[in-house]
Amino acid sequence: QQQVKQSPQSLIVQKGGISIINCAYENTAFDYFPWYQQFPGKGPALLIAIRPDVSEKKEGRFTISFNKSAKQFSLHIMDSQPGDSATYFCAASMNRDDKIIFGKGTRLHILP
Amino acid sequence: ETGVTQTPRHLVMGMTNKKSLKCEQHLGHNAMYWYKQSAKKPLELMFVYNFKEQTENNSVPSRFSPECPNSSHLFLHLHTLQPEDSALYLCASSQGAGAGGDTQYFGPGTRLTVL
């Protein structure tokens, strides 16, 4: 129940296309859903996050869509650029809990 | 830079060696974490410290021994490791104290190779 399931494991997208990464969870006590981005040689860094009281959050080219009833959320990267090539992790945590449960990651490659 | 530094960045050690990884955060945070990142299991939480107290030990073998002398420093002492322990070891910090919905700030990691 503590798992966050992420797909796909890897993704190749043409420059200018839309990259979509999906995640699903079981534990309805989760109430914070961040996405982390990791470049080679670096640690993960927070990209964007959402709470379940909204269905969508947009920051620039990055959008999180959240479906509370289906217990699913996804990251959309619009107008994908080669600089977006990285590994993306979805995650979930509960209020009053410092622990974050990470998905297994998606390795995204944007073709120039 | 994230405000979390880790040393060394790379470490090669034999199975009989003893070494330590160091993490320092300059963000005034109260919680610190050790993660193991390998190809097989991308991000495994190992230990959590909150206000210098260990609040999580995720069934980590005793050959890994954490130490948190204060809220800014975190160590991972290594001894008699196995080749399967080769991985990237990441340190992170957050505001902590059960704040929930905290952003974790990661260091760049230590790439460990056990021969």
Side-chain angles (χ1 to χ4, degrees), chain A residues 14-31:
Chain A
Q14 290 281 352
K15 179 182 174 182
I18 302 174
S19 303
I20 302 174
I21 304 171
N22 300 299
C23 286
Y25 63 98
E26 288 295 324
N27 190 342
T28 55
F30 287 143
D31 63 356

Side-chain angles (χ1 to χ4, degrees), chain B residues 4-7 20-25 31-35 47-50 52 54 65-77 90-93:
Chain B
V4 180
T5 58
Q6 290 187 245
T7 54
S20 296
L21 310 185
K22 179 183 176 182
C23 175
E24 184 173 1
Q25 58 96 358
M32 296 189 77
Y33 311 77
W34 279 118
Y35 287 88
F47 302 103
V48 181
Y49 277 82
N50 229 310
K52 303 187 297 179
Q54 188 180 122
S65 176
E67 178 190 1
C68 188
N70 54 62
S71 293
S72 299
H73 294 86
L74 185 64
F75 295 90
L76 189 62
H77 304 300
L90 289 160
C91 173
S93 72

Side-chain angles (χ1 to χ4, degrees), chain A residues 9 11 13-14 26 34 38 43 45 73-74 80 86 97 104 106:
Chain A
Q9 190 173 353
L11 181 61
V13 175
Q14 290 281 352
E26 288 295 324
Q38 184 178 24
F73 57 110
S74 59
S80 299
D97 189 348
K104 292 192 173 184
T106 296

Side-chain angles (χ1 to χ4, degrees), chain A residues 32 36 38 41-46 51 89 93-100 102-105, chain B residues 9 33 35 37 42-43 45 50 56 88 90 96-104 106-108:
Chain A
Y32 177 68
Y36 280 76
Q38 184 178 24
K42 303 276 188 180
L46 180 68
R51 293 195 182 273
F89 295 93
S93 71
M94 290 180 279
N95 198 21
R96 296 182 298 280
D97 189 348
D98 296 311
K99 193 168 62 176
I100 293 179
F102 285 92
K104 292 192 173 184
Chain B
R9 293 294 309 276
Y33 311 77
Y35 287 88
Q37 186 175 35
L43 268 173
L45 179 65
N50 229 310
E56 182 95 17
L88 181 69
L90 289 160
D102 249 356
T103 299
Q104 289 189 11
F106 285 82

Side-chain angles (χ1 to χ4, degrees), chain A residues 6-78:
Chain A
Q6 183 173 348
S7 63
Q9 190 173 353
S10 62
L11 181 61
I12 298 174
V13 175
Q14 290 281 352
K15 179 182 174 182
I18 302 174
S19 303
I20 302 174
I21 304 171
N22 300 299
C23 286
Y25 63 98
E26 288 295 324
N27 190 342
T28 55
F30 287 143
D31 63 356
Y32 177 68
F33 302 89
W35 284 87
Y36 280 76
Q37 179 188 53
Q38 184 178 24
F39 293 105
K42 303 276 188 180
L46 180 68
L47 181 65
I48 186 173
I50 196 169
R51 293 195 182 273
D53 52 344
V54 296
S55 60
E56 186 176 283
K57 183 173 182 179
K58 184 176 181 179
E59 290 184 1
R61 296 183 294 109
F62 299 90
T63 300
I64 301 177
S65 297
F66 187 83
N67 186 330
K68 189 174 182 178
S69 60
K71 293 184 284 187
Q72 295 175 347
F73 57 110
S74 59
L75 176 69
H76 291 63
I77 306 175
M78 312 300 287

